[in-house]
Amino acid sequence: MYSFYNIATEVYMKTEVMMERSLFGCVVHQKSKSEFFSATDLVSAGNKWRIQRDMPIFNMNEWLRRKDVQGFISELEKVKGVVKINSKGKNSHTWVHPILFIDMALAINPALKVEVYDWLYDQLLKHRNNSGDSFKAMCGALYANESNKATFAGKISRLSKRIQLIVGVADWQKATQAQLELRDKIHAGIALLANVLRDNSQAIDYGIKEATKDKLLGTNA
């Protein structure tokens, strides 16, 4: 039988989450699955920085039309496939591959280099997606022990809210790397104990306690 667990976890893993990254006090969005960045946000943040320093506005369209840039994009596409996507409609964005994002960031301001590299190597997206894998494993282990499958969806919803409270996140799209790592650790701990104890209540309580034993919590687990 195709269960709630199958549906819920597949939707969770396939959903493209829009991550928010901060640059010069502005939000730059990044897609969790493709890892593409919003070039539109980057240019907005970069021009804010340039205006404050009496520098000319950076024009993305003019930059993209440059022969050297077109040549770079052509070579990049041979290796990475599609590297630039233009969305349509109100508040549309131009989405670019991380490598093209770096090149554009350096064209706007060479001083961005260190911060942009930090973005690409800080493992934020890795831990977000790891949390998706561990969520699926946790749901599977708990579902196997559940005697009343009809109430499982509500129990998972309440557990997710409990974990969110423990981690201290109001919006997962704005979660830090450390918060995502803790969520992943809680998911994995509950999954492991559910397989061993065969008691969901104990598995959840002990899993949370073990995952957070080195963290001072502002709320009871």
Side-chain angles (χ1 to χ4, degrees):
M1 181 178 179
Y2 203 64
S3 66
F4 161 81
Y5 159 68
N6 296 120
I7 298 172
T9 53
E10 285 187 13
V11 170
Y12 184 95
M13 291 304 295
K14 292 179 180 179
T15 300
E16 179 82 272
V17 173
M18 208 65 66
M19 309 296 289
E20 294 184 354
R21 320 298 290 272
S22 178
L23 179 63
F24 299 138
C26 299
V27 171
V28 176
H29 291 89
Q30 184 182 19
K31 295 184 176 182
S32 63
K33 296 295 182 183
S34 67
E35 300 188 12
F36 274 34
F37 284 97
S38 168
T40 306
D41 289 342
L42 170 64
V43 171
S44 178
N47 277 333
K48 178 181 177 181
W49 184 91
R50 290 171 69 94
I51 289 171
Q52 291 173 346
R53 288 157 181 78
D54 295 322
M55 297 173 65
I57 293 294
F58 177 85
N59 188 300
M60 178 171 58
N61 291 328
E62 289 182 0
W63 181 78
L64 289 170
R65 286 196 294 267
R66 282 172 35 179
K67 288 186 178 181
D68 60 325
V69 175
Q70 290 182 353
F72 174 69
I73 291 175
S74 179
E75 291 301 315
L76 189 59
E77 287 176 337
K78 292 177 183 178
V79 179
K80 302 296 184 180
V82 176
V83 297
K84 184 172 74 71
I85 300 173
N86 294 320
S87 60
K88 298 180 180 180
K90 187 178 181 180
N91 300 320
S92 60
H93 288 247
T94 296
W95 299 95
V96 297
H97 187 278
I99 295 177
L100 183 57
F101 180 85
I102 290 177
D103 205 54
M104 185 181 298
L106 297 183
I108 295 173
N109 173 21
L112 283 175
K113 183 174 182 178
V114 173
E115 186 157 2
V116 171
Y117 281 162
D118 282 346
W119 277 9
L120 299 181
Y121 291 103
D122 69 1
Q123 301 297 296
L124 179 61
L125 291 175
K126 171 187 172 183
H127 287 293
R128 187 270 166 192
N129 290 328
N130 280 352
S131 292
D133 291 334
S134 63
F135 177 82
K136 184 175 181 179
M138 179 185 73
C139 286
L142 293 174
Y143 187 82
N145 297 338
E146 181 60 53
S147 58
N148 187 352
K149 309 297 186 185
T151 63
F152 185 71
K155 290 179 180 179
I156 287 297
S157 177
R158 290 190 292 274
L159 175 57
S160 296
K161 291 178 180 178
R162 180 179 177 185
I163 293 172
Q164 187 172 6
L165 180 63
I166 290 169
V167 176
V169 173
D171 183 350
W172 285 117
Q173 295 183 28
K174 299 178 181 179
T176 65
Q177 177 181 336
Q179 289 170 325
L180 292 172
E181 286 177 337
L182 179 56
R183 180 176 69 169
D184 187 37
K185 190 175 181 180
I186 292 173
H187 287 168
I190 293 174
L192 176 64
L193 289 170
N195 285 323
V196 174
L197 299 175
R198 301 299 179 185
D199 182 311
N200 284 352
S201 180
Q202 287 186 355
I204 291 169
D205 288 342
Y206 291 158
I208 290 174
K209 183 177 180 180
E210 179 64 22
T212 59
K213 64 182 181 181
D214 296 325
K215 177 181 174 63
L216 294 177
L217 300 177
T219 181
N220 292 328

